[in-house]
Coordinates of all heavy atoms in Angstrom, one line a residue:
M6 N 0.9 -1.2 0.0 CA 0.0 0.0 0.0 C 0.8 1.3 0.0 O 1.8 1.4 0.9 CB -0.9 0.0 1.3 CG -1.9 -1.1 1.3 SD -3.2 -0.6 0.1 CE -4.3 0.3 1.1
A7 N 0.6 2.2 -0.9 CA 1.2 3.4 -0.9 C 0.8 4.4 0.2 O -0.3 4.4 0.5 CB 1.2 4.1 -2.3
T8 N 1.8 5.1 0.8 CA 1.4 5.9 1.8 C 1.7 7.5 1.4 O 2.0 8.2 2.2 CB 2.2 5.7 3.1 OG1 3.5 5.6 2.8 CG2 1.7 4.3 3.6
E9 N 1.6 7.7 0.1 CA 2.1 9.1 -0.4 C 1.1 10.1 0.1 O 1.6 11.3 0.4 CB 2.0 9.1 -1.9 CG 3.2 8.2 -2.5 CD 2.9 8.1 -4.0 OE1 2.3 9.0 -4.5 OE2 3.4 7.2 -4.5
T10 N -0.1 9.8 0.3 CA -0.9 10.9 0.7 C -0.7 11.3 2.2 O -1.1 12.5 2.6 CB -2.4 10.3 0.7 OG1 -2.5 9.0 1.4 CG2 -2.9 10.2 -0.7
E11 N -0.1 10.5 3.0 CA 0.3 11.0 4.3 C 1.1 12.1 4.4 O 1.0 13.0 5.3 CB 1.0 9.8 5.0 CG -0.1 8.8 5.5 CD 0.6 7.7 6.3 OE1 1.6 7.9 6.9 OE2 0.0 6.6 6.5
T12 N 2.0 12.3 3.4 CA 2.9 13.4 3.5 C 2.6 14.5 2.5 O 3.3 15.5 2.4 CB 4.3 12.9 3.1 OG1 4.3 12.3 1.8 CG2 4.9 12.0 4.2
K13 N 1.4 14.3 1.9 CA 0.9 15.5 1.0 C 0.7 16.7 1.7 O 0.1 16.8 2.8 CB -0.4 15.0 0.3 CG -0.9 16.0 -0.6 CD -2.0 15.3 -1.5 CE -2.5 16.3 -2.5 NZ -3.4 15.7 -3.5
Q14 N 1.3 17.8 1.0 CA 1.1 19.1 1.7 C 0.5 20.1 0.7 O 0.8 20.0 -0.5 CB 2.5 19.7 2.1 CG 3.0 18.8 3.2 CD 4.3 19.3 3.8 OE1 5.0 20.1 3.0 NE2 4.8 18.9 4.9
L15 N -0.4 21.0 1.1 CA -0.9 21.9 0.2 C -0.5 23.3 0.6 O -0.3 23.6 1.8 CB -2.5 21.8 0.2 CG -3.0 20.5 -0.3 CD1 -4.5 20.5 -0.1 CD2 -2.6 20.3 -1.6
W16 N -0.4 24.2 -0.3 CA 0.0 25.6 -0.1 C -1.1 26.5 -0.8 O -1.5 26.2 -1.8 CB 1.3 25.9 -0.6 CG 2.5 25.1 0.0 CD1 2.8 23.8 -0.1 CD2 3.4 25.6 1.0 NE1 3.8 23.4 0.7 CE2 4.3 24.5 1.4 CE3 3.7 26.9 1.5 CZ2 5.4 24.7 2.2 CZ3 4.8 27.1 2.3 CH2 5.5 25.9 2.7
V17 N -1.4 27.5 -0.1 CA -2.4 28.3 -0.6 C -1.9 29.8 -0.7 O -1.1 30.3 0.0 CB -3.6 28.5 0.3 CG1 -3.3 29.1 1.5 CG2 -4.7 29.2 -0.4
C18 N -2.2 30.5 -1.9 CA -1.8 31.9 -2.1 C -2.5 32.8 -1.1 O -3.8 32.8 -1.1 CB -2.0 32.2 -3.6 SG -1.8 34.0 -4.0
T19 N -1.8 33.6 -0.4 CA -2.5 34.4 0.6 C -3.2 35.6 -0.1 O -4.0 36.2 0.5 CB -1.4 35.0 1.5 OG1 -0.5 35.7 0.8 CG2 -0.9 33.9 2.4
S20 N -3.0 35.8 -1.5 CA -3.7 36.9 -2.1 C -4.9 36.5 -2.7 O -6.0 37.1 -2.6 CB -2.7 37.3 -3.3 OG -3.3 38.4 -3.9
C21 N -5.0 35.3 -3.4 CA -6.2 34.9 -4.2 C -6.8 33.6 -3.7 O -7.9 33.3 -4.2 CB -5.9 34.9 -5.7 SG -4.9 33.6 -6.2
G22 N -6.1 32.8 -2.9 CA -6.6 31.6 -2.4 C -6.3 30.4 -3.4 O -6.8 29.3 -3.1
F23 N -5.5 30.6 -4.3 CA -5.1 29.5 -5.2 C -4.3 28.5 -4.4 O -3.5 28.9 -3.6 CB -4.2 30.0 -6.4 CG -3.3 29.0 -7.0 CD1 -4.1 28.1 -8.0 CD2 -2.1 28.6 -6.7 CE1 -3.4 27.2 -8.6 CE2 -1.3 27.6 -7.4 CZ -2.0 26.9 -8.3
V24 N -4.6 27.3 -4.5 CA -4.1 26.1 -3.8 C -3.1 25.4 -4.7 O -3.4 25.0 -5.8 CB -5.0 25.1 -3.2 CG1 -4.3 23.9 -2.5 CG2 -5.9 25.9 -2.2
Y25 N -1.7 25.4 -4.2 CA -0.8 24.6 -5.0 C -0.8 23.1 -4.5 O -0.6 22.8 -3.4 CB 0.6 25.1 -4.7 CG 1.7 24.3 -5.4 CD1 1.7 24.4 -6.9 CD2 2.4 23.4 -4.8 CE1 2.7 23.6 -7.5 CE2 3.3 22.7 -5.4 CZ 3.5 22.8 -6.8 OH 4.5 21.9 -7.4
D26 N -1.1 22.2 -5.5 CA -1.1 20.8 -5.2 C 0.1 20.2 -5.9 O 0.2 20.0 -7.0 CB -2.4 20.1 -5.7 CG -2.5 18.6 -5.2 OD1 -1.5 18.1 -5.0 OD2 -3.6 18.2 -5.3
P27 N 1.1 19.7 -4.9 CA 2.3 19.0 -5.5 C 2.1 18.0 -6.5 O 2.8 17.7 -7.5 CB 3.0 18.5 -4.2 CG 2.5 19.2 -3.1 CD 1.1 19.6 -3.5
D28 N 1.0 17.3 -6.4 CA 0.7 16.2 -7.4 C 0.4 16.7 -8.8 O 0.6 16.1 -9.8 CB -0.7 15.5 -6.9 CG -0.4 14.6 -5.7 OD1 0.9 14.4 -5.4 OD2 -1.2 14.0 -5.1
E29 N -0.3 17.9 -8.8 CA -0.5 18.5 -10.1 C 0.5 19.5 -10.6 O 0.6 19.7 -11.8 CB -1.9 19.3 -10.0 CG -3.0 18.2 -9.7 CD -4.4 18.9 -9.6 OE1 -4.4 20.1 -9.9 OE2 -5.3 18.3 -9.0
G30 N 1.3 20.1 -9.7 CA 2.3 21.1 -10.0 C 1.7 22.2 -10.8 O 0.4 22.5 -10.5
D31 N 2.5 22.9 -11.6 CA 1.9 24.1 -12.4 C 2.5 24.0 -13.7 O 3.4 24.7 -14.1 CB 2.2 25.4 -11.7 CG 1.8 26.5 -12.6 OD1 0.8 26.4 -13.3 OD2 2.4 27.6 -12.4
P32 N 2.0 23.1 -14.7 CA 2.6 22.9 -16.0 C 2.7 24.1 -16.7 O 3.7 24.4 -17.4 CB 1.7 21.9 -16.7 CG 1.0 21.1 -15.4 CD 1.0 22.2 -14.3
D33 N 1.6 24.9 -16.7 CA 1.8 26.3 -17.4 C 2.9 27.2 -16.9 O 3.5 28.0 -17.6 CB 0.4 27.0 -17.3 CG -0.8 26.2 -18.0 OD1 -0.3 25.5 -18.9 OD2 -1.8 26.4 -17.6
G34 N 3.2 27.0 -15.6 CA 4.3 27.8 -15.0 C 5.7 27.0 -14.9 O 6.6 27.6 -14.3
G35 N 5.8 26.0 -15.7 CA 7.0 25.2 -15.8 C 7.4 24.4 -14.7 O 8.4 23.9 -14.4
I36 N 6.3 24.1 -13.8 CA 6.5 23.2 -12.7 C 5.8 21.8 -13.1 O 4.6 21.7 -13.1 CB 5.8 23.7 -11.4 CG1 6.3 25.2 -11.2 CG2 6.2 22.9 -10.2 CD1 7.7 25.4 -10.9
P37 N 6.6 20.8 -13.3 CA 6.0 19.5 -13.6 C 5.2 18.9 -12.5 O 5.6 19.1 -11.2 CB 7.2 18.7 -14.0 CG 8.4 19.3 -13.3 CD 8.0 20.7 -13.1
P38 N 4.2 18.0 -12.7 CA 3.5 17.5 -11.6 C 4.4 16.6 -10.8 O 5.3 16.0 -11.2 CB 2.5 16.6 -12.3 CG 2.3 17.2 -13.7 CD 3.7 17.8 -14.0
G39 N 4.1 16.6 -9.5 CA 4.9 15.9 -8.6 C 6.1 16.7 -7.9 O 6.9 16.2 -7.2
T40 N 6.1 18.0 -8.2 CA 7.2 18.9 -7.6 C 6.8 19.4 -6.3 O 5.8 20.0 -6.1 CB 7.5 20.0 -8.6 OG1 7.8 19.6 -9.9 CG2 8.6 20.9 -8.0
P41 N 7.5 19.0 -5.2 CA 7.3 19.6 -3.9 C 7.4 21.1 -3.9 O 8.1 21.6 -4.7 CB 8.3 19.0 -3.0 CG 8.9 17.8 -3.8 CD 8.7 18.1 -5.3
F42 N 6.5 21.7 -3.1 CA 6.5 23.2 -3.1 C 8.0 23.7 -2.8 O 8.4 24.7 -3.3 CB 5.6 23.7 -2.0 CG 5.3 25.1 -2.1 CD1 4.6 25.6 -3.0 CD2 6.0 26.0 -1.2 CE1 4.3 27.1 -3.1 CE2 5.9 27.5 -1.2 CZ 5.0 27.9 -2.3
T43 N 8.7 23.0 -2.0 CA 10.0 23.5 -1.6 C 11.0 23.4 -2.7 O 12.1 24.1 -2.6 CB 10.6 22.6 -0.4 OG1 10.4 21.2 -0.8 CG2 9.8 22.8 0.9
E44 N 10.6 22.7 -3.8 CA 11.7 22.6 -4.9 C 11.2 23.6 -6.0 O 11.9 23.6 -7.1 CB 11.7 21.2 -5.3 CG 12.4 20.3 -4.4 CD 12.5 18.9 -5.0 OE1 12.4 18.7 -6.2 OE2 12.7 18.0 -4.1
I45 N 10.2 24.4 -5.9 CA 9.9 25.4 -6.8 C 10.8 26.5 -6.8 O 11.1 27.0 -5.6 CB 8.5 25.9 -6.5 CG1 7.3 24.7 -6.7 CG2 8.0 27.1 -7.4 CD1 6.0 25.2 -6.4
P46 N 11.3 27.1 -7.9 CA 12.2 28.1 -8.0 C 11.5 29.4 -7.4 O 10.3 29.5 -7.5 CB 12.6 28.3 -9.4 CG 11.6 27.6 -10.2 CD 11.0 26.4 -9.2
D47 N 12.3 30.3 -6.8 CA 11.9 31.5 -6.3 C 11.2 32.3 -7.3 O 10.5 33.2 -6.9 CB 13.1 32.3 -5.5 CG 13.6 31.5 -4.4 OD1 12.9 30.7 -4.0 OD2 14.8 31.9 -4.0
T48 N 11.6 32.2 -8.5 CA 11.0 33.0 -9.5 C 9.5 32.6 -9.9 O 8.8 33.5 -10.6 CB 11.8 33.0 -10.8 OG1 12.0 31.5 -11.2 CG2 13.2 33.6 -10.6
W49 N 9.1 31.5 -9.4 CA 7.8 31.1 -9.6 C 6.8 31.9 -8.9 O 7.1 32.4 -7.7 CB 7.6 29.6 -9.4 CG 6.3 29.0 -9.6 CD1 5.8 28.5 -10.7 CD2 5.1 28.9 -8.6 NE1 4.5 28.3 -10.7 CE2 4.0 28.3 -9.4 CE3 4.9 29.2 -7.3 CZ2 2.8 28.0 -8.8 CZ3 3.7 29.0 -6.7 CH2 2.7 28.3 -7.4
F50 N 5.7 32.2 -9.4 CA 4.6 33.0 -8.7 C 3.3 32.3 -8.8 O 3.2 31.5 -9.8 CB 4.6 34.5 -9.0 CG 4.5 34.7 -10.6 CD1 3.3 34.7 -11.1 CD2 5.6 34.9 -11.3 CE1 3.2 34.9 -12.4 CE2 5.5 35.0 -12.7 CZ 4.3 35.1 -13.3
C51 N 2.4 32.7 -8.1 CA 0.9 32.1 -8.2 C 0.4 32.3 -9.6 O 0.4 33.4 -10.1 CB 0.0 32.9 -7.2 SG -1.7 32.5 -7.5
P52 N 0.0 31.2 -10.3 CA -0.5 31.3 -11.6 C -1.8 32.1 -11.7 O -2.1 32.6 -12.8 CB -0.5 29.8 -12.1 CG -0.7 29.0 -10.8 CD 0.1 29.8 -9.7
V53 N -2.5 32.1 -10.8 CA -3.9 32.7 -10.9 C -3.7 34.1 -10.7 O -4.3 35.0 -11.6 CB -4.7 32.2 -9.6 CG1 -6.2 33.0 -9.6 CG2 -5.0 30.7 -9.7
C54 N -3.0 34.7 -9.8 CA -2.8 36.1 -9.6 C -1.9 36.6 -10.9 O -2.3 37.6 -11.5 CB -1.8 36.5 -8.5 SG -2.6 36.2 -6.9
G55 N -1.0 35.8 -11.4 CA -0.2 36.1 -12.6 C -1.2 36.2 -13.8 O -0.9 37.2 -14.6
A56 N -2.1 35.3 -14.0 CA -3.0 35.3 -15.2 C -3.8 36.6 -15.0 O -4.2 37.2 -16.0 CB -3.7 34.0 -15.3
R57 N -4.2 36.8 -13.7 CA -5.3 37.9 -13.6 C -4.7 39.2 -13.7 O -5.4 40.2 -14.1 CB -5.9 37.8 -12.2 CG -7.3 37.5 -12.2 CD -7.9 37.6 -10.8 NE -8.5 36.4 -10.4 CZ -8.8 36.0 -9.2 NH1 -8.3 36.8 -8.2 NH2 -9.5 35.0 -8.9
S58 N -3.4 39.4 -13.3 CA -2.9 40.7 -13.2 C -1.5 40.8 -13.9 O -0.5 41.0 -13.2 CB -2.8 41.2 -11.8 OG -2.0 40.2 -11.0
E59 N -1.5 40.5 -15.2 CA -0.3 40.5 -15.9 C 0.5 41.9 -15.8 O 1.7 42.0 -15.8 CB -0.4 40.2 -17.4 CG -0.6 38.8 -17.6 CD -0.8 38.5 -19.0 OE1 0.0 39.0 -19.9 OE2 -1.7 37.7 -19.4
R60 N -0.4 42.9 -15.8 CA 0.2 44.3 -15.6 C 0.5 44.8 -14.3 O 1.3 45.8 -14.1 CB -0.7 45.3 -16.4 CG -0.7 45.0 -17.9 CD -1.8 45.9 -18.6 NE -1.9 45.4 -20.0 CZ -3.0 45.7 -20.7 NH1 -3.9 46.5 -20.3 NH2 -3.0 45.2 -21.9
A61 N 0.0 44.1 -13.3 CA 0.3 44.6 -11.9 C 0.8 43.4 -11.2 O 0.2 42.8 -10.3 CB -1.0 45.1 -11.3
R62 N 2.0 42.9 -11.6 CA 2.5 41.7 -10.8 C 2.7 41.8 -9.4 O 3.0 40.7 -8.9 CB 3.9 41.3 -11.6 CG 3.4 40.6 -12.9 CD 4.4 39.5 -13.2 NE 3.9 38.8 -14.4 CZ 4.6 38.1 -15.3 NH1 5.9 38.3 -15.1 NH2 4.1 37.7 -16.3
T63 N 2.8 43.1 -8.9 CA 3.1 43.1 -7.5 C 2.1 42.3 -6.7 O 2.5 41.7 -5.6 CB 3.1 44.6 -7.0 OG1 2.0 45.1 -7.6 CG2 4.2 45.3 -7.5
T64 N 0.9 42.1 -7.0 CA -0.2 41.5 -6.3 C 0.1 40.0 -6.3 O -0.5 39.3 -5.7 CB -1.4 41.8 -6.8 OG1 -1.6 41.5 -8.1 CG2 -1.9 43.3 -6.6
C65 N 0.9 39.5 -7.3 CA 1.0 38.1 -7.4 C 2.3 37.6 -6.7 O 2.6 36.4 -6.8 CB 0.9 37.5 -8.8 SG 2.3 38.1 -9.8
H66 N 2.9 38.4 -5.9 CA 4.1 37.9 -5.2 C 3.7 37.8 -3.8 O 4.6 37.8 -2.9 CB 5.1 39.0 -5.3 CG 5.9 38.9 -6.5 ND1 6.8 37.9 -6.8 CD2 5.9 39.7 -7.7 CE1 7.3 38.1 -8.1 NE2 6.8 39.2 -8.7
A67 N 2.4 37.7 -3.5 CA 2.0 37.3 -2.2 C 2.6 35.9 -1.8 O 2.6 35.0 -2.6 CB 0.4 37.3 -2.1
P68 N 3.1 35.8 -0.6 CA 3.6 34.6 -0.2 C 2.6 33.4 -0.1 O 1.4 33.7 0.2 CB 4.1 34.9 1.2 CG 3.3 36.0 1.7 CD 2.9 36.8 0.5
M69 N 3.1 32.3 -0.4 CA 2.2 31.1 -0.2 C 2.2 30.6 1.1 O 3.2 30.5 1.7 CB 2.7 29.9 -1.3 CG 2.6 30.4 -2.7 SD 1.0 30.4 -3.4 CE 0.6 28.8 -3.7
R70 N 1.0 30.4 1.7 CA 1.0 29.8 3.0 C 0.8 28.4 3.1 O -0.1 27.9 2.3 CB -0.2 30.7 3.8 CG -0.3 30.4 5.2 CD -1.2 31.5 5.9 NE -2.5 31.3 5.3 CZ -3.5 30.6 5.8 NH1 -3.3 29.8 6.8 NH2 -4.8 30.5 5.3
H71 N 1.5 27.8 3.9 CA 1.4 26.4 4.2 C 0.0 26.0 4.9 O -0.3 26.5 5.9 CB 2.5 25.9 5.0 CG 2.6 24.4 4.9 ND1 3.4 23.6 5.8 CD2 2.0 23.5 4.2 CE1 3.2 22.4 5.6 NE2 2.6 22.2 4.6
I72 N -0.8 25.2 4.2 CA -2.0 24.8 4.9 C -2.1 23.2 4.9 O -3.1 22.6 4.4 CB -3.3 25.3 4.0 CG1 -3.2 24.9 2.6 CG2 -3.4 26.8 4.1 CD1 -4.5 24.8 1.8
K73 N -1.1 22.8 5.4 CA -0.9 21.3 5.6 C -2.2 20.6 6.2 O -2.6 21.2 7.2 CB 0.3 21.0 6.4 CG 0.5 19.5 6.6 CD 1.9 19.5 7.5 CE 1.8 18.2 8.3 NZ 2.9 18.2 9.3
G74 N -2.7 19.7 5.6 CA -3.9 19.0 6.2 C -3.5 18.3 7.3 O -2.4 18.1 7.7
W75 N -4.6 17.7 8.0 CA -4.5 16.9 9.2 C -3.7 15.7 8.8 O -3.8 15.1 7.8 CB -5.8 16.5 9.7 CG -6.7 17.7 10.1 CD1 -6.1 18.9 10.6 CD2 -8.1 17.8 10.1 NE1 -7.2 19.7 10.9 CE2 -8.4 19.0 10.6 CE3 -9.2 16.8 9.9 CZ2 -9.8 19.4 10.7 CZ3 -10.4 17.3 9.9 CH2 -10.7 18.5 10.4
T76 N -2.7 15.3 9.6 CA -1.7 14.3 9.3 C -2.5 12.9 9.3 O -2.0 11.9 8.6 CB -0.6 14.3 10.2 OG1 -1.0 14.4 11.5 CG2 0.3 15.5 10.0
W77 N -3.6 12.9 10.1 CA -4.3 11.5 10.2 C -5.4 11.4 9.3 O -6.1 10.3 9.2 CB -4.7 11.3 11.7 CG -5.5 12.5 12.1 CD1 -5.0 13.6 12.8 CD2 -7.0 12.7 12.1 NE1 -6.0 14.5 12.9 CE2 -7.3 13.9 12.7 CE3 -7.9 11.9 11.7 CZ2 -8.5 14.3 12.8 CZ3 -9.2 12.4 11.7 CH2 -9.6 13.7 12.3
L78 N -5.5 12.3 8.4 CA -6.5 12.3 7.3 C -5.8 12.7 6.0 O -5.1 13.6 5.9 CB -7.7 13.2 7.7 CG -8.8 12.6 8.5 CD1 -9.7 13.6 8.7 CD2 -9.4 11.5 7.9
D79 N -6.2 11.9 5.0 CA -5.9 12.4 3.6 C -6.9 13.3 3.1 O -7.9 13.5 3.9 CB -5.6 11.2 2.7 CG -6.8 10.3 2.5 OD1 -7.8 10.8 2.8 OD2 -6.6 9.2 2.1
N80 N -6.7 13.8 1.9 CA -7.6 14.9 1.4 C -9.1 14.3 1.3 O -10.1 15.0 1.7 CB -7.2 15.2 0.0 CG -6.1 16.4 0.2 OD1 -5.8 16.8 1.3 ND2 -5.8 17.1 -0.9
D81 N -9.2 13.0 0.8 CA -10.5 12.4 0.7 C -11.2 12.3 2.1 O -12.4 12.6 2.2 CB -10.4 11.0 0.1 CG -10.0 11.1 -1.3 OD1 -10.1 12.1 -1.9 OD2 -9.4 10.1 -1.8
G82 N -10.4 12.1 3.2 CA -10.9 11.9 4.4 C -11.4 13.3 4.9 O -12.6 13.4 5.5
V83 N -10.6 14.4 4.7 CA -11.1 15.6 5.0 C -12.3 16.1 4.3 O -13.2 16.7 4.9 CB -9.9 16.7 4.6 CG1 -10.4 18.2 4.9 CG2 -8.7 16.5 5.6
N84 N -12.4 15.8 3.1 CA -13.5 16.1 2.2 C -14.8 15.4 2.9 O -15.8 15.9 2.9 CB -13.4 15.7 0.7 CG -12.5 16.6 0.0 OD1 -12.2 17.8 0.5 ND2 -11.9 16.1 -1.1
L85 N -14.6 14.1 3.1 CA -15.7 13.3 3.7 C -16.1 13.9 5.0 O -17.3 14.1 5.3 CB -15.3 11.8 3.9 CG -16.3 11.0 4.5 CD1 -17.4 10.7 3.5 CD2 -15.7 9.6 5.0
A86 N -15.1 14.2 5.9 CA -15.5 14.9 7.1 C -16.2 16.1 7.0 O -17.2 16.4 7.7 CB -14.2 15.1 8.0
A87 N -15.8 16.9 6.1 CA -16.5 18.2 5.8 C -17.9 17.9 5.3 O -18.8 18.7 5.7 CB -15.7 19.0 4.6
T88 N -18.0 17.0 4.5 CA -19.5 16.7 4.0 C -20.3 16.2 5.1 O -21.4 16.7 5.3 CB -19.4 15.6 2.8 OG1 -18.5 16.1 1.8 CG2 -20.7 15.2 2.2
V89 N -19.8 15.3 5.9 CA -20.6 14.7 7.0 C -20.9 15.9 7.9 O -22.0 16.0 8.5 CB -19.8 13.8 7.7 CG1 -20.5 13.3 9.1 CG2 -19.7 12.5 6.8
L90 N -19.8 16.7 8.3 CA -20.1 17.9 9.1 C -21.2 18.8 8.6 O -22.1 19.2 9.4 CB -18.9 18.6 9.4 CG -18.3 18.6 10.8 CD1 -16.9 19.0 10.8 CD2 -19.1 19.7 11.7
G91 N -21.0 19.1 7.3 CA -21.9 20.0 6.7 C -23.4 19.5 6.7 O -24.4 20.1 7.1
G92 N -23.5 18.1 6.5 CA -24.8 17.6 6.5 C -25.4 17.5 7.9 O -26.5 17.8 8.1
G93 N -24.6 17.2 8.9 CA -25.0 17.2 10.3 C -25.5 18.5 10.7 O -26.5 18.6 11.4
L94 N -24.8 19.5 10.3 CA -25.2 20.9 10.7 C -26.4 21.2 10.0 O -27.4 21.9 10.6 CB -24.1 21.9 10.4 CG -22.9 22.0 11.3 CD1 -21.8 23.0 10.7 CD2 -23.3 22.3 12.6
G95 N -26.6 20.8 8.8 CA -27.9 21.1 8.0 C -29.0 20.5 8.8 O -30.1 21.0 9.0
M96 N -28.9 19.2 9.2 CA -29.9 18.6 9.9 C -30.2 19.3 11.2 O -31.3 19.4 11.6 CB -29.5 17.1 10.3 CG -29.8 16.1 9.2 SD -29.2 14.5 9.4 CE -30.1 14.1 11.0
L97 N -29.2 19.5 11.9 CA -29.5 20.3 13.1 C -30.1 21.6 12.9 O -31.2 21.9 13.7 CB -28.0 20.7 13.8 CG -27.6 20.0 15.0 CD1 -26.2 20.3 15.5 CD2 -28.5 20.4 16.2
G98 N -29.8 22.2 11.9 CA -30.6 23.5 11.6 C -32.0 23.2 11.5 O -32.9 24.1 11.9
S99 N -32.3 22.2 10.6 CA -33.8 22.0 10.4 C -34.5 21.4 11.7 O -35.6 21.6 11.7 CB -33.9 21.0 9.3 OG -33.2 19.7 9.6
L100 N -33.8 20.8 12.5 CA -34.4 20.3 13.8 C -34.7 21.5 14.7 O -35.8 21.5 15.3 CB -33.5 19.4 14.5 CG -33.4 17.9 13.9 CD1 -32.3 17.1 14.7 CD2 -34.7 17.3 13.9
I101 N -33.8 22.5 14.7 CA -33.9 23.6 15.7 C -35.3 24.4 15.2 O -35.9 25.0 16.1 CB -32.7 24.6 15.7 CG1 -31.6 23.8 16.4 CG2 -33.0 25.8 16.3 CD1 -30.3 24.4 16.3
K102 N -35.5 24.5 13.9 CA -36.6 25.3 13.4 C -37.8 24.6 13.9 O -38.8 25.2 14.3 CB -36.6 25.3 11.9 CG -35.7 26.3 11.3 CD -35.7 26.2 9.8 CE -34.6 26.9 9.2 NZ -34.5 26.5 7.8
Ligands
ZN30 ZN1 -2.6 34.1 -6.1

């Protein structure tokens, strides 16, 4: 069994909320899929901000923030938990009414 998802880390752009997924990389930005965030060259910048503001690049130099997921859950687990939580809250809301 592969345990790659255990060490998966996500980074988010503090400016626009773009999430960098090492599994997908940023092919348009010259970052091949599977590139850890720590191996991205300093010259790389958020592709969303960059695409949105070609003429005002200052805004796309916002630092990427590490949003490492819970270590005991992979992304699918987090999604599931969020769905269950959302559903539970929804039920609670309808019960309270
Ligand atoms: Zn951005």
Side-chain angles (χ1 to χ4, degrees):
M6 292 287 276
T8 55
E9 287 171 27
T10 49
E11 280 184 19
T12 54
K13 181 165 176 169
Q14 297 184 339
L15 297 179
W16 295 72
V17 65
C18 171
T19 54
S20 177
C21 74
F23 164 81
V24 174
Y25 177 78
D26 185 337
D28 286 349
E29 296 179 12
D31 176 28
D33 291 339
I36 309 296
T40 304
F42 189 78
T43 49
E44 289 182 19
I45 293 176
D47 291 342
T48 51
W49 183 83
F50 53 83
C51 170
V53 177
C54 290
R57 236 193 240 159
S58 53
E59 276 183 51
R60 285 172 194 166
R62 274 213 179 149
T63 48
T64 57
C65 65
H66 281 286
M69 297 289 280
R70 190 165 58 91
H71 192 193
I72 52 162
K73 182 177 147 191
W75 297 333
T76 50
W77 48 277
L78 275 178
D79 57 22
N80 273 8
D81 291 337
V83 171
N84 287 340
L85 180 67
T88 304
V89 170
L90 239 161
L94 283 177
M96 271 178 59
L97 248 173
S99 58
L100 281 178
I101 288 172
K102 278 177 198 168

